[in-house]
Amino acid sequence: MIYLDHAAATPLSKRAANAMSVYFDEKFFNPSAAYLPAQRTRHEYEDAKDTIAHAIGAKGADLVMTSGATESINLAFSIIAPGAKILISDVEHQAVRACAAKSGNFDTIAVDEYGRVKVSDFEAKLNSETEFVSVCLVCSELGMLQPVGEIAALVEKERLRRKLNGETRPLYLHCDASQGLGLMEVRISRLGVDLLTLNAAKVYGPKGIGALYVGHGVKLQPLSVGGGQEMGLRSGTENVPATVGFAAAMIEAEKHQNGERKRLMKLKKILQKELSTIPNIKFLGKEKMQLPSFLPFCVPGVDAERIIFALEDQEIYLSTGAACAASKGIKSPTLKAIGLNDEEIAGSLRISMGRLNDEENIKLAGQKIREVISAEIERVSR
């Protein structure tokens, strides 16, 4: 098997699995129970939250643990009052798009041909009516890093203007950092956001666990009520094993982050060289502002789904884009936003590399992908 879809899911690291195992049998206690073994589990759960939080320059008390990025995003949007004006980037994940659409009053911030937010367009659209802004840290389809710090500076400028003019309308900035976590520095102080979405499943942690950083003074509304866990914002017995696994994965990712980036950049260059001889291939995004794990491209005139299935027969797995959209046959709004035509979108593929890749399988993957696409081009031309 050659796995080239790390942006969709990563395998659970051995370190995370080992850290979790004891909480399924020996330390299975409900951390809300009053007796000593349960309170020890509570203490270890809070320690795990602290570990995750410290990785982004926050405190454990600032995190609400969730079932993953989608729930975190929905919880972040709970702050929005009915009818409030929202701005989201044109390359957001489907969860952000759906939450914005649900509000019924949103606009999108344009991106350039590479998929990077146009700060000038954001500045033009940000006005006294805007209450909520959501811009991802890394686009999940193109791997492009977004200018979140610049967006935050303009948000702060608008807040100051409102304050000086006696305006009371609030303004919040949310960022989905799911794709960047583990491969780049993610610090609250540098990003300047009020809300930050995290996801263990993208950083070799367990699936079904995520977190939302909530800045001081930000008042959210719970999506579910009950026992009042997670500061009353997420009732239900805490998922101790998954939280501990998330923390272990974060420690591991931070430790090897620089080395992994260099390794992935080397693999990317090898693969790009292998694929560059494919007729009419167009690599998407811009390398200097793109995570080294991403190599999205399109070949106009071929059917990307046929390519996916043909490669699957050879146990090579990659994607046509964000997994949730691809599985529903949705035409990518992100690829539309960067100006691709229908033929280019239909021929678009996303490769995302990670720990399951090395020089040997990347060279082999490049050869096989080139062969399959060349055969498809020949079939279409007949």
Side-chain angles (χ1 to χ4, degrees):
M1 179 186 82
I2 302 178
Y3 182 70
L4 298 170
D5 202 16
H6 288 78
T10 55
L12 183 66
S13 77
K14 289 182 179 179
R15 178 170 182 163
N18 290 339
M20 294 168 65
S21 63
V22 69
Y23 294 93
F24 290 114
D25 43 35
E26 294 176 38
K27 299 183 179 182
F28 60 88
F29 308 102
N30 186 326
S32 294
Y35 38 82
L36 186 58
Q39 286 306 295
R40 285 175 179 155
T41 297
R42 158 65 60 185
H43 181 72
E44 290 162 7
Y45 172 73
E46 296 297 345
D47 280 349
K49 283 185 67 174
D50 283 338
T51 297
I52 298 165
H54 290 166
I56 61 169
K59 297 178 180 179
D62 300 327
L63 295 187
V64 177
M65 304 309 297
T66 66
S67 63
T70 295
E71 185 185 345
S72 292
I73 290 164
N74 276 263
L75 183 58
F77 272 76
S78 75
I79 199 171
I80 302 169
K85 179 64 182 294
I86 300 167
L87 288 175
I88 66 170
S89 88
D90 234 341
V91 292
E92 292 300 310
H93 188 274
Q94 184 60 29
V96 171
R97 291 179 179 276
C99 285
K102 187 177 179 181
S103 75
N105 186 18
F106 78 99
D107 197 359
T108 58
I109 311 160
V111 295
D112 63 21
E113 62 185 297
Y114 304 111
R116 188 170 164 87
V117 164
K118 291 182 178 178
V119 176
S120 58
D121 190 59
F122 172 69
E123 190 170 14
K125 289 174 178 174
L126 178 64
N127 57 41
S128 59
E129 301 298 311
T130 310
E131 291 191 22
F132 192 87
V133 178
S134 187
V135 176
C136 57
L137 183 61
V138 177
C139 168
S140 62
E141 291 184 56
L142 301 170
M144 290 295 292
L145 281 62
Q146 301 301 330
V148 178
E150 294 178 60
I151 297 293
L154 290 171
V155 166
E156 188 56 36
K157 181 181 177 181
E158 172 60 15
R159 284 181 183 144
L160 180 59
R161 186 201 65 76
R162 293 181 190 186
K163 183 177 180 181
L164 293 174
N165 285 280
E167 297 175 29
T168 59
R169 190 184 299 277
L171 178 57
Y172 303 101
L173 174 59
H174 166 257
C175 175
D176 176 8
S178 299
Q179 290 293 347
L181 206 61
L183 283 176
M184 60 183 292
E185 186 178 60
V186 180
R187 292 290 183 272
I188 293 298
S189 58
R190 292 189 179 183
L191 293 175
V193 299
D194 303 294
L195 297 150
L196 187 76
T197 290
L198 307 175
N199 187 0
K202 309 296 186 186
V203 69
Y204 303 90
K207 295 177 180 63
I209 190 74
L212 179 68
Y213 162 81
V214 184
H216 297 166
V218 177
K219 305 294 184 184
L220 302 176
Q221 298 299 315
L223 301 181
S224 59
V225 294
Q229 289 88 345
E230 299 297 315
M231 300 169 286
L233 289 172
R234 212 258 182 174
S235 291
T237 302
E238 296 90 342
N239 191 341
V240 179
T243 303
V244 169
F246 191 175
M250 288 291 285
I251 292 171
E252 190 173 17
E254 275 206 306
K255 183 179 179 181
H256 302 290
Q257 181 175 291
N258 291 334
E260 182 67 355
R261 283 180 63 88
K262 290 177 182 177
R263 191 183 74 86
L264 289 171
M265 182 56 73
K266 186 177 181 181
L267 295 183
K268 181 174 181 175
K269 289 183 182 300
I270 291 170
L271 187 54
Q272 193 164 16
K273 184 179 179 181
E274 289 286 344
L275 300 180
S276 60
T277 57
I278 295 172
N280 299 320
I281 189 169
K282 178 181 180 180
F283 294 105
L284 306 177
K286 193 172 186 178
E287 189 173 296
K288 288 184 178 180
M289 293 176 286
Q290 190 175 49
L291 279 186
S293 54
F294 277 76
L295 187 59
F297 64 93
C298 70
V299 182
V302 306
D303 183 340
E305 288 195 0
R306 287 180 62 91
I307 302 300
I308 294 288
F309 295 141
L311 288 169
E312 183 181 347
D313 290 340
Q314 300 187 50
E315 294 189 299
I316 299 173
Y317 305 109
L318 58 156
S319 170
T320 55
C324 55
S327 66
K328 296 178 177 62
I330 298 171
K331 191 172 289 186
S332 168
T334 292
L335 299 183
K336 282 185 180 179
I338 64 172
L340 297 194
N341 59 39
D342 288 349
E343 190 178 44
E344 290 171 323
I345 291 173
S348 293
L349 294 158
R350 179 191 69 178
I351 290 173
S352 50
M353 296 167 287
R355 293 181 192 172
L356 294 181
N357 301 126
D358 56 30
E359 287 191 38
E360 184 180 356
N361 69 26
I362 283 297
K363 285 180 180 178
L364 179 59
Q367 294 168 11
K368 295 296 183 182
I369 293 169
R370 190 178 65 242
E371 288 172 7
V372 167
I373 292 178
S374 297
E376 177 64 8
I377 291 172
E378 186 178 341
R379 185 193 69 82
V380 171
S381 64
R382 287 201 298 264

